[in-house]
Amino acid sequence: MEELAKEAGIPVRTLRFYRERGLISPPRREGRIAWYDDHHLARLRTITGLLERGHTLTGIADLARTFESGRDVAEVLGLGEPTEEVPVRLTPEQLADYFQDESTPENLATALELGYLGTDGEEIVHISRRLLEVSAELVREGVPLASVLATGRHVREHAEALADLFVTVLRAYSTEPEPPQLRPLARAVMDAELSMALDRRLRREQQPEA
């Protein structure tokens, strides 16, 4: 314990307090010897980093329980890596930098449920760099992360239906499991249709009431 506290740069009494609060897992024991490892050190450095960013110990404990009860990265990625999206590995401190005080246990639990986040040891894995960055941008624009996630849930429902539509149509005229033009054609159609739908929606708002 003394060696771990020295490596982490904290007093031994602080380390004992963290153990009592369940912020770090118990050591591996061999007889009367307690062994701490790199995972314990990484967790202590994470706690220090989150405290420096203004998180409370109660909040950090809630975050730890959220991730420990969430899905690991293998479950999130399913059968294989996404074919186009780039997963992002983050420390808890880096995730807090993206979303600041919006990184609540409730929001992170929702992100885990949706499959946006997974865990890999002490790391957090976001399934898509593009989704991570646009979510953070929306939060910076003043949209609560809870609303971003709720919107993402609705978008996914529509995206699943659209994926079924495009796959069904193109497979009807192709013998390949994934027709080569499936993704570029689907993206082009949806980009154009969404752009025109936004035009129509905004134009209706600008029209004076009769």
Side-chain angles (χ1 to χ4, degrees):
M1 182 176 286
E2 288 78 8
E3 292 175 2
L4 178 63
K6 182 178 179 181
E7 284 290 325
I10 61 174
V12 173
R13 65 178 180 276
T14 300
L15 177 54
R16 289 198 178 97
F17 177 71
Y18 289 169
R19 274 193 55 189
E20 292 168 2
R21 292 288 298 272
L23 289 167
I24 64 170
S25 58
R28 176 174 58 86
R29 292 193 173 273
E30 291 183 1
R32 300 181 63 180
I33 301 175
W35 293 99
Y36 293 92
D37 58 24
D38 289 340
H39 289 292
H40 292 98
L41 181 58
R43 175 60 64 87
L44 289 173
R45 287 173 174 165
T46 292
I47 293 169
T48 299
L50 291 173
L51 287 172
E52 290 173 350
R53 287 161 173 78
H55 290 257
T56 65
L57 283 177
T58 299
I60 294 170
D62 289 340
L63 294 179
R65 284 191 291 271
T66 296
F67 282 116
E68 286 166 2
S69 63
R71 294 185 293 173
D72 65 25
V73 67
E75 292 179 275
V76 171
L77 294 178
L79 296 177
E81 295 284 334
T83 54
E84 293 188 312
E85 297 306 307
V86 178
V88 183
R89 291 180 175 272
L90 304 158
T91 64
E93 303 99 307
Q94 289 170 327
L95 187 65
D97 283 342
Y98 270 98
F99 297 110
Q100 299 300 322
D101 56 355
E102 293 284 310
S103 297
T104 63
E106 294 79 13
N107 284 337
L108 296 179
T110 301
L112 285 163
E113 177 203 343
L114 286 169
Y116 290 153
L117 296 179
T119 58
D120 187 9
E122 292 292 324
E123 286 187 312
I124 301 163
V125 180
H126 195 291
I127 194 67
S128 166
R129 180 178 295 280
R130 290 194 295 180
L131 283 178
L132 172 64
E133 291 178 350
V134 75
S135 298
E137 182 63 27
L138 286 167
V139 169
R140 286 193 292 271
E141 290 293 324
V143 182
L145 183 56
S147 295
V148 173
L149 294 170
T151 302
R153 189 186 298 276
H154 290 303
V155 169
R156 175 171 294 180
E157 292 172 1
H158 294 294
E160 293 285 352
L162 289 166
D164 287 343
L165 176 62
F166 282 110
V167 169
T168 299
V169 169
L170 287 179
R171 276 188 178 167
Y173 302 98
S174 173
T175 58
E176 299 184 53
E178 181 175 331
Q181 293 302 309
L182 172 62
R183 294 171 188 269
L185 287 174
R187 279 197 301 267
V189 170
M190 291 316 306
D191 186 57
E193 286 289 355
L194 180 58
S195 177
M196 291 186 290
L198 288 169
D199 288 341
R200 292 190 293 270
R201 176 69 170 77
L202 295 172
R203 194 176 299 119
R204 287 197 300 271
E205 288 186 352
Q206 294 168 4
Q207 291 175 348
E209 295 184 4

